Amino acid sequence: MRVDIITIFPGYFGPLGMSLIGKAAGRGDIEFTVHDLRSWTRDVHHTVDDTPYGGGPGMVMKPEPWGDALDAILPPARHPPDQLPDQPPDQLPDQPPDQLPDQPPDQPPDPPAGQSVRLVVPAPSGKPFTQDMAARYSRVDHLVFACGRYEGIDARVIEEARARVPVDEVSIGDYVLAGGEPAVLVMIESICRLLPGVLGNAESAADDSFGAGRDGAAMAGLLEGPVYTRPRSWRSREVPPVLLSGDHAAIARWRRDAALRRTAENRPDLAARLEPLDSRDAEVLSEAGFPVSGDDMAH
Ligand code: SAM
């Protein structure tokens, strides 16, 4: 996977050289390039912001450096905007615009078949970032992240970029950061850990909270429950005996019960969306103060 990041604070991305993702980059599985937006400014002060039209507090990022940066990093525009599929992020990345017909003869050749590119613009007003979106992004060949600061980027930059690649404005949560850099680090970590070979044990992502589950999707839709390691006894606190029993069915049931309790307590919105439940599930949820109606039960 190729990842380009445009920012006015390139130093923010030092952590990409660390841990599992740093190792994957070291092996050449991920190619990160961090670009300083100011290198596309044309004035002596390297100005990237200006006052907002219409008044109001704060500053807005100027379109010119962003336009020049994206011209340099994104594939060239090859299709009129009205020929591009309008793909919301939950449907990405089926058809990259590079695969669309009618390429004018004066443009460079298409990239290899299947190569896809996507521009991701972090914004608190964007669509919520989810584990499912991370999984879909992990199948894109080339991601470009545009880190806003101040009150954000002049809206015409995003409009124009949409004429050449799919663009998603994405929020990492219902709060406001000072800049897109921490949001991009969060997204990159969650996307890149899903790439083949990045996690030591590929199954661990399926078992995670928000994971797709495995073994018949037993844990799909649930938060992960508590986990334990050695020693068996620590400060007079014991590991739950069932986990030491070697009884795989009992362990799986205990894990599901614990996951149900945690989901009911911390995320009732997720508990309410659970797939049809068996009678033990219903019992656990009721005990956790989350009554289950007959309609939610598997028959
Ligand atoms: N005026 C903007 C608004 O109210 O929607 C907030 C701008 S914020 C101070 C500056 C930048 O931080 C944004 O352009 C975006 O890149 C980033 N940012 C802030 N909160 C974010 C969030 N929850 N998710 C993703 N990016 C965020």
Side-chain angles (χ1 to χ4, degrees):
M1 171 182 272
R2 176 177 162 196
V3 178
D4 286 278
I5 303 160
I6 311 165
T7 172
I8 57 170
F9 294 118
Y12 224 105
F13 293 94
L16 292 178
M18 300 174 77
S19 188
L20 294 173
I21 289 166
K23 284 186 187 148
R27 287 193 301 271
D29 293 345
I30 314 169
E31 186 193 331
F32 290 114
T33 312
V34 182
H35 307 268
D36 186 348
L37 179 70
R38 290 192 200 275
S39 65
W40 282 283
T41 54
R42 296 180 189 184
D43 65 312
V44 67
H45 300 295
H46 301 292
T47 310
V48 293
D49 60 319
D50 205 341
T51 51
Y53 274 123
M59 301 293 273
V60 174
M61 295 192 103
K62 291 162 65 63
E64 301 95 327
W66 275 110
D68 290 350
L70 293 174
D71 285 348
I73 294 165
L74 293 177
R78 279 188 284 237
H79 314 288
D82 58 6
Q83 285 183 17
L84 287 175
D86 182 19
Q87 285 176 304
D90 51 357
Q91 287 171 19
L92 61 90
D94 302 332
Q95 179 154 27
D98 310 291
Q99 292 175 0
L100 293 174
D102 302 325
Q103 183 179 318
D106 58 338
Q107 298 289 352
D110 277 338
Q115 189 161 342
S116 52
V117 60
R118 207 150 185 112
L119 174 64
V120 182
V121 183
S125 52
K127 301 227 166 113
F129 186 64
T130 61
Q131 183 68 18
D132 186 48
M133 217 189 277
R136 289 162 191 269
Y137 281 142
S138 73
R139 298 192 285 273
V140 175
D141 301 295
H142 180 192
L143 290 171
V144 181
F145 291 95
C147 302
R149 283 264 154 185
Y150 314 109
E151 293 306 315
I153 303 170
D154 185 305
R156 293 166 293 180
V157 173
I158 285 110
E159 255 172 57
E160 203 216 24
R162 281 210 167 97
R164 60 177 89 170
V165 296
V167 180
D168 305 321
E169 292 176 87
V170 180
S171 167
I172 63 158
D174 291 349
Y175 41 78
V176 178
L177 304 164
E181 289 79 4
V184 168
L185 280 176
V186 166
M187 287 190 261
I188 286 177
E189 178 126 340
S190 63
I191 295 163
C192 291
R193 72 188 283 278
L194 300 177
L195 293 173
V198 172
L199 289 180
N201 179 351
E203 289 182 337
S204 66
D207 272 355
D208 284 335
S209 301
F210 315 111
R214 60 192 169 100
D215 299 338
M219 306 297 269
L222 294 174
L223 301 181
E224 190 174 83
V227 294
Y228 301 87
T229 187
R230 282 177 288 201
R232 287 168 67 153
S233 179
W234 177 77
R235 297 188 180 181
S236 305
R237 293 171 191 277
E238 307 297 324
V239 169
V242 64
L243 297 180
L244 311 171
S245 68
D247 179 341
H248 296 298
I251 292 171
R253 186 66 249 184
W254 183 89
R255 286 199 169 129
R256 183 162 172 90
D257 290 359
L260 284 163
R261 281 190 206 99
R262 185 168 275 182
T263 307
E265 184 175 344
N266 293 345
R267 292 293 301 272
D269 57 319
L270 296 181
R273 292 207 299 265
L274 284 173
E275 290 297 308
L277 305 160
D278 66 22
S279 58
R280 173 65 189 157
D281 288 348
E283 197 180 312
V284 173
L285 286 175
S286 295
E287 282 166 16
F290 197 91
V292 176
S293 78
D295 295 346
D296 297 322
M297 303 279 294
H299 297 293

